[in-house]
Amino acid sequence: MNIRDVRAGEAQQWVLGEPAMPPANHPVPSDVSATDVAQYCLMLADDSLVLAHQLSRWGVHGLRLADSEALLRIAAGLLNHSRYLLSRTAALSQWRDEDELAHYRGAGQFRNVRLVEIDCGPYLVGAFPATVVRLLVFCAWRRAVLARLASSREAVLAALAVSALDTVTRYRDRAAQWVLRHAAEDVVREHVVNGFRRVWPFTGELFAPHPVELRLADAGCAVDPSEVRAEVSGWLAETLGATGLSGVDVGEFSRFVPPGGRDGVHTAGMDFLVADMQHLAKAE
């Protein structure tokens, strides 16, 4: 067994909650920028953190209590993924820990894609079907990325991807079940169509590679998101084909013109979202 295998095994233990050593002691490959790895981890972490916050806002407002419970479990799982990624970011940067990263950054310092930050309910904008449509699109995309990231040369990223892959697959499939169920109900069918209309303008950003992603992908440590575009489109088309919905075309994702969330350029509601997410921590 060589040193790379040992480090990969140690990283796997850390991800599963049984650390062999602190995250800071897991070096990145010698030919890769630690700053880039930290930034990439932050991108993935912020996606999960912000979406977890958005899902948690539903509380017990779901159409059924079972739906509320499932959404909260998904939110907790995404938060768990985010914690490990933020911890890795802190270990490779000047931030103290994952809590400081989550609670003491301004909106412009977040690096999530904008799909996760838009308002899909439960209050003024959106509805439960819009929430599950967003979850469907996000998880289909994230699963495709994780499947490739599992073979990363960066041991901690690879272990994180392996540990998250099955859960994100379950979240994707649960969202698909929700969409299929709502599409079959005349009362909420139009809300599903409106959900796609709500989220679709933000889909192009998912497949637009950031320079950090491209550099790390060239080094075998990250995933170029443009490479999963056809896979995600095909899976969504197959899933939506089973609904019989009219007015929904998943053949083409929206056009994206940078800069976007990966560069800290967010929607108008991001300041309010971050303030809501951080106000208790800052009040202490």
Side-chain angles (χ1 to χ4, degrees):
M1 178 179 292
N2 60 35
I3 188 64
R4 181 178 169 188
D5 293 328
V6 172
R7 287 174 178 167
E10 291 170 345
Q12 180 80 18
Q13 281 186 308
W14 170 60
V15 169
L16 294 177
E18 300 176 358
M21 61 179 69
N25 289 349
H26 292 279
V28 302
S30 59
D31 59 336
V32 173
S33 164
T35 300
D36 279 353
V37 174
Q39 184 79 342
Y40 186 60
C41 287
L42 188 62
M43 294 173 180
L44 299 177
D46 284 348
D47 291 340
S48 295
L49 178 64
V50 173
L51 185 54
H53 174 73
Q54 297 288 63
L55 295 178
S56 69
R57 293 171 65 232
W58 276 92
V60 294
H61 299 294
L63 301 181
R64 298 172 172 85
L65 286 178
D67 293 338
S68 295
E69 180 186 11
L71 271 186
L72 291 174
R73 286 181 180 274
I74 292 171
L78 291 172
L79 183 61
N80 189 50
H81 298 167
S82 179
R83 281 188 55 231
Y84 287 121
L85 287 160
L86 288 176
S87 179
R88 181 63 168 162
T89 300
L92 298 175
S93 66
Q94 80 282 6
W95 294 90
R96 185 176 67 247
D97 55 28
E98 67 268 24
D99 292 324
E100 187 177 49
L101 277 162
H103 296 141
Y104 295 97
R105 283 182 293 156
Q109 294 175 290
F110 278 75
R111 293 295 180 262
N112 56 277
V113 292
R114 291 176 293 181
L115 174 71
V116 299
E117 71 194 48
I118 60 172
D119 190 354
C120 289
Y123 303 115
L124 297 180
V125 181
F128 188 81
T131 289
V132 298
V133 165
R134 180 198 13 218
L135 183 63
L136 176 76
V137 174
F138 174 83
C139 289
W141 166 69
R142 179 53 60 91
R143 188 208 175 278
V145 170
L146 290 173
R148 289 161 175 76
L149 192 59
S151 59
S152 171
R153 290 177 57 227
E154 211 293 296
V156 175
L157 276 171
L160 284 163
V162 169
S163 68
L165 185 58
D166 285 346
T167 56
V168 172
T169 301
R170 291 198 302 271
Y171 301 161
R172 181 201 66 178
D173 294 345
R174 185 69 179 90
Q177 292 168 10
W178 269 318
V179 169
L180 290 168
R181 189 186 82 195
H182 291 310
E185 299 175 2
D186 292 338
V187 177
V188 294
R189 188 180 182 87
E190 186 60 27
H191 290 300
V192 178
V193 175
N194 289 336
F196 277 98
R197 291 172 180 159
R198 174 72 177 138
V199 307
W200 212 251
F202 299 92
T203 56
E205 184 180 9
L206 304 180
F207 308 100
H210 186 274
V212 168
E213 292 174 303
L214 289 176
R215 287 196 296 271
L216 289 177
D218 286 343
C221 292
V223 178
D224 176 352
S226 66
E227 295 180 355
V228 305
R229 186 184 186 105
E231 176 184 339
V232 176
S233 177
W235 190 88
L236 288 172
E238 182 179 354
T239 301
L240 269 293
T243 67
L245 289 173
S246 58
V248 176
D249 180 9
V250 297
E252 287 293 332
F253 296 105
S254 67
R255 182 170 178 263
F256 171 68
V257 179
R262 294 297 195 224
D263 294 301
V265 179
H266 297 285
T267 60
M270 186 63 174
D271 285 318
F272 299 99
L273 186 156
V274 171
D276 181 50
M277 188 165 62
Q278 296 179 344
H279 79 277
L280 285 178
K282 290 182 175 179
E284 291 184 350

